[in-house]
Amino acid sequence: MEAIEDVDYLVVGAGAMGMAFADALTTAADVSVAIVDRRHGAGGHWLDAYGFVRLHQSSAFYGVASTLLGGGRVQAEGPERGLHERASAAEVGEYYARVLARLTATGRVVFHGRSAYLGDRRFESLLSGILKYQQALKKIQTAALN
Ligand SMILES: Cc1cc2nc3c(=O)[nH]c(=O)nc-3n(C[C@H](O)[C@H](O)[C@H](O)COP(=O)(O)OP(=O)(O)OC[C@H]3O[C@@H](n4cnc5c(N)ncnc54)[C@H](O)[C@@H]3O)c2cc1C
């Protein structure tokens, strides 16, 4: 088992909840954050959804606080004419990829994809085997561990 450089926060799950936490943490404070997820990227279950599946609510009210999802457009035709746009799964996936790229570009966020959190600050990476943070100061678990 390999020890890796410590972080202030360890966020389990890069779905909507984990990404909102990581975004808020790094916006509000000068802290380092590691995000661990079994999937290859950010977005949680949206990465597995058919592309045509859409949000139930307006895009503008979904996602992380720092970055608008969609263009704030109002639909001009169809049964939802006059209502705000609702992003498709493909758009939600692209959005979270963009947010994750922005977060990691700050140098304060590291993402461990294809990695299953095992508890006790340990996770198993498909590429690197079992890794452990020695002293992540805080752990935020946004996903029911399964
Ligand atoms: C069709 C559809 C439309 C929806 N529309 C809306 C909407 O408009 N508004 C709204 O608020 N909600 C909506 N939802 C609900 C949606 O579930 C939430 O918005 C949100 O995506 C859930 O995010 P999450 O982070 O809680 O969970 P998830 O998306 O499930 O993410 C959890 C992540 O944690 C990871 N994980 C779990 N256990 C481990 C582990 N041990 N180690 C590593 N990683 C782990 C998983 O791999 C996963 O990527 C919709 C859902 C569906 C299906």
Side-chain angles (χ1 to χ4, degrees):
M1 185 168 59
E2 188 185 330
I4 45 180
E5 192 179 333
D6 274 321
V7 286
D8 298 316
Y9 290 85
L10 176 55
V11 174
V12 181
M17 299 305 118
M19 292 300 286
F21 267 127
D23 181 73
L25 279 170
T26 50
T27 301
D30 184 18
V31 293
S32 58
V33 178
I35 311 173
V36 174
D37 200 298
R38 281 210 188 88
R39 290 185 166 91
H40 67 279
H45 75 84
W46 289 102
L47 298 181
D48 299 336
Y50 289 114
F52 59 80
V53 173
R54 287 183 181 276
L55 285 175
H56 296 318
Q57 68 180 77
S58 304
S59 301
F61 300 112
Y62 196 82
V64 304
S66 71
T67 310
L68 180 69
L69 169 57
R73 287 176 291 269
V74 171
Q75 299 183 54
E77 52 192 37
E80 294 185 11
R81 186 158 55 100
L83 299 180
H84 281 271
E85 64 178 312
R86 294 185 296 121
S88 66
E91 290 165 335
V92 175
E94 183 277 330
Y95 168 81
Y96 279 116
R98 204 155 28 90
V99 171
L100 182 61
R102 189 184 57 70
L103 289 178
T104 54
T106 64
R108 293 189 287 130
V109 176
V110 59
F111 176 65
H112 301 285
R114 296 253 186 257
S115 299
Y117 184 68
L118 304 172
D120 192 29
R121 301 188 303 277
R122 290 173 307 125
F123 60 95
E124 180 159 25
S125 156
L126 205 61
L127 292 176
S128 314
I130 295 184
L131 303 169
K132 178 167 183 169
Y133 281 105
Q134 299 304 300
Q135 301 176 6
L137 297 181
K138 298 210 164 34
K139 177 171 79 66
I140 297 172
Q141 183 178 311
T142 65
L145 298 185
N146 45 42

